[in-house]
Amino acid sequence: QKEVEQDPGPLSVPEGAIVSLNCTYSNSAFQYFMWYRQYSRKGPELLMYTYSSGNKEDGRFTAQVDKSSKYISLFIRDSQPSDSATYLCAVNDYKLSFGAGTTVTVRA
Amino acid sequence: KAGVTQTPRYLIKTRGQQVTLSCSPISGHRSVSWYQQTPGQGLQFLFEYFSETQRNKGNFPGRFSGRQFSNSRSEMNVSTLELGDSALYLCASSLDASGGTYEQYFGPGTRLTVT
């Protein structure tokens, strides 16, 4: 069983829509959860970092962790074409374990 | 503050050769981790170095090795290259002030093609 499961999409939305991305993880001991954004032919960029359960907001981005259901979410409000990228969720103990990544396209 | 840098950015090697990739972490960061990214397997952890010591290792064969220098710069080496080693190799650094490796910042990667 993979440590992190993520639907690879792809996901296509019109500009201004809310993008909703989700992952599940297998080990209830995980405490640190990340979302990375990766543009084509670039390295992953850390977007959000959450410890334990709860919500964290940063501008148009909101990360949620529900440890009871082992569910991680990322919401992007008022999506822009520049948000078109692959979004990777990750859990961290001594290393990062990544989901497969969801490719998002925001249509102008 | 400068980000993580990796050299070279692109590399083409022949099967059976060996290759060395270099990573310079963010200034002040002491932990360096390496990852392999392929379309089929995604991002996979190779190993992590802290204070010139390999602290953690992923499930890769012994052909993959690394080291860290006293200035925290790191190198990884792949010997006897195979076609399946073609991938984007990513280096990530973290501050690791508390003993964990939580917020990891990635470099642009080295794209290795094995022919």
Side-chain angles (χ1 to χ4, degrees):
Chain A
Q1 182 186 10
K2 285 195 168 185
E3 289 182 305
V4 185
E5 299 281 357
Q6 181 179 9
D7 184 345
L11 188 62
S12 179
V13 300
E15 184 175 356
I18 295 175
V19 176
S20 174
L21 303 167
N22 305 295
C23 295
T24 58
Y25 62 94
S26 58
N27 188 341
S28 58
F30 289 132
Q31 296 274 37
Y32 297 89
F33 307 93
M34 279 84 168
W35 283 96
Y36 284 84
R37 176 175 63 193
Q38 187 173 24
Y39 291 112
S40 181
R41 310 192 78 78
K42 303 282 188 183
E45 170 194 9
L46 181 62
L47 268 180
M48 305 282 288
Y49 162 55
T50 309
Y51 172 72
S52 194
S53 278
N55 293 0
K56 187 171 185 178
E57 191 171 315
D58 183 1
R60 297 184 295 110
F61 297 87
T62 299
Q64 287 184 351
V65 177
D66 181 348
K67 292 199 72 182
S68 64
S69 58
K70 290 184 274 188
Y71 206 74
I72 315 165
S73 300
L74 178 72
F75 300 97
I76 308 173
R77 291 183 300 281
D78 188 26
S79 58
Q80 304 295 311
S82 58
D83 294 327
S84 298
T86 297
Y87 291 81
L88 299 135
C89 60
V91 296
N92 195 342
D93 41 21
Y94 64 89
K95 63 174 173 64
L96 287 170
S97 296
F98 285 89
T102 301
T103 300
V104 174
T105 301
V106 180
R107 308 185 306 271
Chain B
K1 190 180 271 190
V4 178
T5 58
Q6 292 186 246
T7 56
R9 293 292 312 279
Y10 302 92
L11 207 49
I12 300 175
K13 288 287 188 179
T14 303
R15 193 170 43 183
Q17 288 185 316
Q18 74 166 12
V19 67
T20 299
L21 312 180
S22 181
C23 171
S24 292
I26 293 170
S27 177
H29 284 196
R30 299 173 63 193
S31 169
V32 174
S33 299
W34 288 89
Y35 295 82
Q36 181 196 66
Q37 187 174 31
T38 59
Q41 299 298 317
L43 269 156
Q44 294 185 285
F45 172 74
L46 281 156
F47 30 65
E48 184 231 349
Y49 284 86
F50 178 76
S51 290
E52 302 178 64
T53 301
Q54 186 181 89
R55 189 161 62 174
N56 294 292
K57 188 177 188 305
N59 297 321
F60 278 81
R63 300 185 297 106
F64 292 82
S65 63
R67 59 177 175 168
Q68 187 181 33
F69 302 94
S70 58
N71 62 359
S72 294
R73 192 177 69 84
S74 177
E75 290 181 348
M76 69 163 281
N77 183 277
V78 187
S79 62
T80 318
L81 284 165
E82 300 178 0
L83 295 178
D85 296 333
S86 295
L88 182 66
Y89 289 89
L90 292 156
C91 164
S93 77
S94 65
L95 189 59
D96 198 18
S98 63
T101 52
Y102 305 121
E103 292 181 65
Q104 294 191 26
Y105 297 88
F106 283 84
T110 295
R111 184 162 298 279
L112 173 65
T113 302
V114 182
T115 62

Coordinates of all heavy atoms in Angstrom, one line a residue, chain A residues 4-57:
Chain A
V4 N 0.9 7.5 0.4 CA 0.1 8.6 0.0 C -0.6 8.3 -1.3 O 0.1 8.0 -2.3 CB 0.9 9.9 -0.1 CG1 -0.1 11.1 -0.4 CG2 1.7 10.2 1.2
E5 N -1.9 8.5 -1.4 CA -2.6 8.3 -2.6 C -3.2 9.6 -3.1 O -3.8 10.3 -2.3 CB -3.8 7.3 -2.4 CG -3.4 5.9 -2.0 CD -2.8 5.0 -3.1 OE1 -2.9 5.5 -4.3 OE2 -2.4 3.9 -2.9
Q6 N -3.0 9.9 -4.4 CA -3.5 11.1 -4.9 C -4.0 10.9 -6.4 O -3.3 10.2 -7.1 CB -2.4 12.2 -5.0 CG -2.8 13.5 -5.5 CD -1.7 14.5 -5.5 OE1 -0.5 14.2 -5.2 NE2 -2.0 15.8 -5.7
D7 N -5.2 11.3 -6.7 CA -5.7 11.2 -8.0 C -4.9 12.1 -9.0 O -4.8 13.3 -8.8 CB -7.2 11.7 -8.0 CG -7.9 11.4 -9.4 OD1 -7.2 11.2 -10.4 OD2 -9.1 11.5 -9.4
P8 N -4.3 11.5 -10.0 CA -3.5 12.2 -10.9 C -4.2 13.2 -11.8 O -3.6 14.0 -12.5 CB -2.7 11.2 -11.7 CG -3.6 10.0 -11.6 CD -4.3 10.0 -10.3
G9 N -5.6 13.1 -11.9 CA -6.3 13.9 -12.8 C -6.2 13.5 -14.2 O -6.2 12.3 -14.5
P10 N -6.1 14.4 -15.2 CA -5.9 15.8 -15.0 C -7.2 16.5 -14.6 O -8.3 16.0 -14.8 CB -5.4 16.2 -16.4 CG -6.0 15.3 -17.3 CD -6.1 14.0 -16.6
L11 N -7.1 17.8 -14.2 CA -8.2 18.6 -13.7 C -8.1 19.9 -14.5 O -7.1 20.5 -14.6 CB -8.0 18.9 -12.2 CG -9.2 19.5 -11.5 CD1 -10.4 18.7 -11.6 CD2 -8.8 19.8 -10.1
S12 N -9.2 20.2 -15.2 CA -9.3 21.4 -16.0 C -10.5 22.3 -15.5 O -11.6 21.8 -15.4 CB -9.5 21.1 -17.5 OG -9.6 22.3 -18.2
V13 N -10.2 23.5 -15.1 CA -11.2 24.4 -14.6 C -11.1 25.8 -15.3 O -10.1 26.2 -15.8 CB -11.1 24.6 -13.1 CG1 -11.2 23.3 -12.3 CG2 -9.8 25.3 -12.7
P14 N -12.2 26.5 -15.3 CA -12.2 27.9 -15.9 C -11.6 28.8 -14.9 O -11.6 28.6 -13.7 CB -13.7 28.2 -16.1 CG -14.4 27.4 -15.1 CD -13.6 26.1 -15.0
E15 N -11.0 29.9 -15.4 CA -10.4 30.9 -14.6 C -11.5 31.4 -13.6 O -12.6 31.7 -13.9 CB -9.9 32.1 -15.4 CG -9.2 33.2 -14.7 CD -8.6 34.3 -15.6 OE1 -8.7 34.1 -16.8 OE2 -8.1 35.3 -15.1
G16 N -11.0 31.6 -12.3 CA -11.9 32.1 -11.3 C -12.6 31.0 -10.5 O -13.2 31.3 -9.4
A17 N -12.5 29.8 -10.9 CA -13.1 28.6 -10.2 C -12.3 28.3 -9.0 O -11.2 28.7 -8.8 CB -13.3 27.4 -11.2
I18 N -13.0 27.5 -8.1 CA -12.2 26.9 -7.0 C -11.7 25.6 -7.4 O -12.4 24.7 -7.9 CB -13.2 26.8 -5.8 CG1 -13.6 28.1 -5.3 CG2 -12.5 26.0 -4.6 CD1 -14.7 28.1 -4.1
V19 N -10.4 25.4 -7.1 CA -9.8 24.1 -7.4 C -9.7 23.3 -6.1 O -9.2 23.9 -5.1 CB -8.3 24.3 -8.0 CG1 -7.6 23.0 -8.1 CG2 -8.4 25.1 -9.3
S20 N -10.1 22.1 -6.1 CA -10.1 21.3 -4.9 C -9.3 20.0 -5.2 O -9.5 19.3 -6.1 CB -11.5 20.8 -4.6 OG -11.6 19.9 -3.5
L21 N -8.2 19.9 -4.4 CA -7.3 18.7 -4.6 C -7.3 17.9 -3.3 O -7.3 18.5 -2.2 CB -5.9 19.3 -4.9 CG -5.8 20.1 -6.1 CD1 -4.5 20.9 -6.2 CD2 -6.0 19.3 -7.4
N22 N -7.2 16.6 -3.4 CA -7.3 15.7 -2.2 C -6.3 14.6 -2.3 O -5.9 14.1 -3.3 CB -8.7 15.1 -2.2 CG -9.8 16.2 -2.2 OD1 -9.9 17.0 -1.3 ND2 -10.5 16.2 -3.2
C23 N -5.9 14.2 -1.1 CA -5.0 13.0 -0.9 C -5.4 12.2 0.3 O -6.0 12.8 1.2 CB -3.5 13.4 -0.7 SG -2.8 14.3 -2.1
T24 N -5.1 11.0 0.3 CA -5.3 10.2 1.5 C -3.9 9.6 1.9 O -3.1 9.4 1.0 CB -6.3 9.1 1.3 OG1 -5.9 8.2 0.2 CG2 -7.7 9.6 1.0
Y25 N -3.7 9.3 3.1 CA -2.5 8.7 3.6 C -2.8 7.5 4.5 O -3.9 7.4 5.0 CB -1.6 9.7 4.2 CG -2.1 10.3 5.5 CD1 -1.8 9.8 6.8 CD2 -2.9 11.5 5.4 CE1 -2.3 10.4 7.9 CE2 -3.4 12.0 6.6 CZ -3.1 11.5 7.8 OH -3.6 12.1 9.0
S26 N -1.8 6.6 4.6 CA -2.0 5.4 5.3 C -1.6 5.3 6.7 O -2.3 4.6 7.5 CB -1.3 4.2 4.5 OG 0.1 4.5 4.5
N27 N -0.6 6.0 7.1 CA 0.0 5.9 8.5 C -0.5 7.0 9.4 O -0.2 8.2 9.2 CB 1.5 5.9 8.4 CG 2.2 5.6 9.7 OD1 1.5 5.7 10.7 ND2 3.4 5.2 9.6
S28 N -1.3 6.6 10.4 CA -1.9 7.7 11.2 C -0.8 8.4 12.1 O -1.1 9.4 12.7 CB -2.9 7.0 12.2 OG -2.3 6.0 12.9
A29 N 0.4 7.9 12.1 CA 1.4 8.5 12.9 C 2.0 9.8 12.2 O 2.7 10.6 12.8 CB 2.6 7.5 13.1
F30 N 1.7 10.0 10.9 CA 2.2 11.2 10.2 C 1.7 12.4 10.9 O 0.5 12.5 11.2 CB 1.8 11.1 8.8 CG 2.6 10.1 7.9 CD1 1.9 9.3 7.1 CD2 3.9 10.0 8.0 CE1 2.5 8.3 6.3 CE2 4.6 9.0 7.3 CZ 3.9 8.2 6.4
Q31 N 2.6 13.4 11.0 CA 2.2 14.7 11.7 C 2.4 15.9 10.8 O 1.8 16.9 11.1 CB 3.0 14.9 13.0 CG 2.8 13.8 14.0 CD 1.6 14.1 14.9 OE1 0.6 14.7 14.5 NE2 1.7 13.8 16.2
Y32 N 3.2 15.7 9.8 CA 3.6 16.9 9.0 C 3.1 16.7 7.6 O 3.4 15.6 7.0 CB 5.1 17.1 9.0 CG 5.6 17.5 10.4 CD1 6.0 16.5 11.3 CD2 5.6 18.8 10.8 CE1 6.4 16.8 12.5 CE2 6.1 19.1 12.1 CZ 6.5 18.1 12.9 OH 6.9 18.4 14.2
F33 N 2.4 17.7 7.0 CA 1.8 17.5 5.7 C 2.1 18.7 4.9 O 2.1 19.9 5.3 CB 0.2 17.4 5.9 CG -0.1 16.3 6.8 CD1 -0.3 16.6 8.2 CD2 -0.3 15.0 6.4 CE1 -0.7 15.6 9.1 CE2 -0.6 14.0 7.3 CZ -0.8 14.3 8.6
M34 N 2.5 18.5 3.6 CA 2.9 19.5 2.7 C 2.1 19.5 1.4 O 1.7 18.4 1.0 CB 4.4 19.4 2.4 CG 5.3 19.9 3.4 SD 5.6 18.6 4.7 CE 7.1 19.4 5.5
W35 N 2.1 20.6 0.8 CA 1.6 20.7 -0.6 C 2.7 21.4 -1.4 O 3.2 22.5 -1.0 CB 0.3 21.5 -0.8 CG -0.9 20.7 -0.4 CD1 -1.5 20.7 0.8 CD2 -1.6 19.8 -1.2 NE1 -2.5 19.8 0.8 CE2 -2.6 19.2 -0.4 CE3 -1.4 19.3 -2.5 CZ2 -3.5 18.3 -0.9 CZ3 -2.3 18.4 -3.0 CH2 -3.4 17.9 -2.3
Y36 N 3.1 20.8 -2.5 CA 4.1 21.4 -3.4 C 3.4 21.7 -4.7 O 2.5 20.9 -5.2 CB 5.3 20.4 -3.6 CG 6.2 20.4 -2.4 CD1 6.0 19.5 -1.4 CD2 7.4 21.2 -2.4 CE1 6.9 19.5 -0.3 CE2 8.3 21.1 -1.4 CZ 8.0 20.3 -0.3 OH 8.9 20.2 0.7
R37 N 3.9 22.7 -5.4 CA 3.5 23.0 -6.8 C 4.7 22.8 -7.7 O 5.8 23.3 -7.4 CB 3.0 24.4 -6.9 CG 2.6 24.9 -8.2 CD 2.0 26.3 -8.2 NE 3.0 27.3 -7.7 CZ 2.6 28.5 -7.3 NH1 1.4 28.9 -7.4 NH2 3.6 29.4 -6.9
Q38 N 4.5 22.2 -8.8 CA 5.6 21.9 -9.7 C 5.2 22.3 -11.1 O 4.3 21.8 -11.7 CB 6.1 20.4 -9.7 CG 7.3 20.2 -10.5 CD 7.8 18.7 -10.4 OE1 7.1 17.8 -10.0 NE2 9.1 18.6 -10.6
Y39 N 5.9 23.3 -11.7 CA 5.7 23.7 -13.0 C 6.6 22.8 -13.9 O 7.6 22.2 -13.5 CB 6.1 25.2 -13.3 CG 5.2 26.1 -12.6 CD1 5.6 26.9 -11.5 CD2 3.9 26.3 -13.0 CE1 4.8 27.8 -10.9 CE2 3.1 27.2 -12.4 CZ 3.5 28.0 -11.3 OH 2.7 28.9 -10.7
S40 N 6.2 22.7 -15.2 CA 6.9 21.8 -16.1 C 8.4 22.1 -16.1 O 8.8 23.2 -16.2 CB 6.3 22.0 -17.5 OG 6.9 21.1 -18.4
R41 N 9.2 21.0 -16.0 CA 10.6 21.1 -16.1 C 11.2 21.9 -15.0 O 12.3 22.5 -15.1 CB 11.1 21.5 -17.5 CG 10.4 20.8 -18.6 CD 11.1 21.0 -19.9 NE 12.3 20.3 -20.1 CZ 12.4 19.0 -20.4 NH1 11.3 18.3 -20.6 NH2 13.6 18.5 -20.5
K42 N 10.5 22.1 -13.8 CA 11.1 22.8 -12.7 C 11.1 21.9 -11.5 O 10.4 20.8 -11.5 CB 10.2 24.0 -12.4 CG 10.1 25.0 -13.5 CD 11.3 25.8 -13.7 CE 11.1 26.9 -14.7 NZ 12.3 27.7 -14.9
G43 N 11.8 22.3 -10.4 CA 11.7 21.5 -9.1 C 10.4 21.9 -8.4 O 9.8 23.0 -8.6
P44 N 9.9 21.0 -7.5 CA 8.8 21.3 -6.7 C 9.0 22.5 -5.8 O 10.1 22.7 -5.2 CB 8.6 20.1 -5.8 CG 9.3 19.0 -6.6 CD 10.5 19.7 -7.2
E45 N 7.9 23.3 -5.6 CA 8.0 24.6 -4.8 C 7.0 24.4 -3.6 O 5.9 24.0 -3.8 CB 7.5 25.7 -5.7 CG 7.3 27.0 -4.9 CD 6.5 28.0 -5.8 OE1 6.1 27.7 -6.9 OE2 6.4 29.2 -5.3
L46 N 7.5 24.6 -2.4 CA 6.7 24.4 -1.2 C 5.6 25.5 -1.2 O 5.9 26.7 -1.1 CB 7.6 24.4 0.0 CG 6.9 24.3 1.4 CD1 6.2 22.9 1.5 CD2 7.8 24.5 2.5
L47 N 4.4 25.0 -1.1 CA 3.2 25.9 -1.1 C 2.7 26.1 0.3 O 2.6 27.2 0.8 CB 2.1 25.4 -1.9 CG 2.0 25.8 -3.4 CD1 0.7 25.1 -4.0 CD2 1.9 27.3 -3.6
M48 N 2.4 25.0 1.0 CA 1.8 25.0 2.3 C 2.4 23.9 3.1 O 2.7 22.8 2.6 CB 0.3 24.8 2.2 CG -0.5 25.7 1.3 SD -0.7 27.3 2.0 CE -2.0 26.9 3.2
Y49 N 2.4 24.2 4.4 CA 3.0 23.2 5.4 C 2.1 23.2 6.6 O 1.9 24.3 7.2 CB 4.4 23.7 5.7 CG 5.1 23.1 6.9 CD1 5.1 21.7 7.1 CD2 5.6 23.9 7.8 CE1 5.7 21.2 8.2 CE2 6.2 23.4 9.0 CZ 6.3 22.1 9.1 OH 6.9 21.6 10.3
T50 N 1.6 22.1 7.0 CA 0.6 22.0 8.1 C 1.1 20.9 9.1 O 1.6 19.8 8.7 CB -0.8 21.6 7.6 OG1 -1.1 22.4 6.5 CG2 -1.8 21.7 8.7
Y51 N 1.0 21.3 10.3 CA 1.3 20.3 11.4 C 0.0 19.8 12.0 O -0.8 20.6 12.4 CB 2.2 20.9 12.5 CG 2.4 20.0 13.7 CD1 3.2 18.9 13.6 CD2 1.8 20.3 14.9 CE1 3.4 18.1 14.7 CE2 2.0 19.5 16.0 CZ 2.8 18.4 15.9 OH 2.9 17.6 16.9
S52 N -0.2 18.5 12.1 CA -1.4 17.9 12.7 C -2.6 18.3 12.0 O -2.6 18.7 10.8 CB -1.4 18.2 14.2 OG -2.3 17.4 14.8
S53 N -3.7 18.2 12.6 CA -5.0 18.5 12.0 C -5.3 20.0 11.9 O -4.7 20.8 12.6 CB -6.2 17.9 12.8 OG -6.3 16.5 12.4
G54 N -6.3 20.4 11.1 CA -6.7 21.8 11.1 C -6.6 22.4 9.7 O -6.2 21.7 8.7
N55 N -6.8 23.7 9.7 CA -6.8 24.5 8.4 C -5.6 25.4 8.5 O -5.2 25.9 9.6 CB -8.1 25.2 8.2 CG -9.2 24.4 8.0 OD1 -9.1 23.1 7.9 ND2 -10.4 25.0 7.8
K56 N -5.1 25.8 7.3 CA -4.1 26.8 7.2 C -4.4 27.6 5.9 O -4.6 27.0 4.9 CB -2.7 26.2 7.2 CG -1.6 27.3 7.2 CD -0.3 26.6 7.4 CE 0.9 27.6 7.6 NZ 2.2 26.9 7.9
E57 N -4.4 28.9 6.0 CA -4.7 29.7 4.9 C -3.5 30.6 4.5 O -2.9 31.2 5.4 CB -6.0 30.6 5.2 CG -6.6 31.3 4.0 CD -7.9 31.9 4.3 OE1 -8.7 31.2 5.0 OE2 -8.1 33.1 4.0

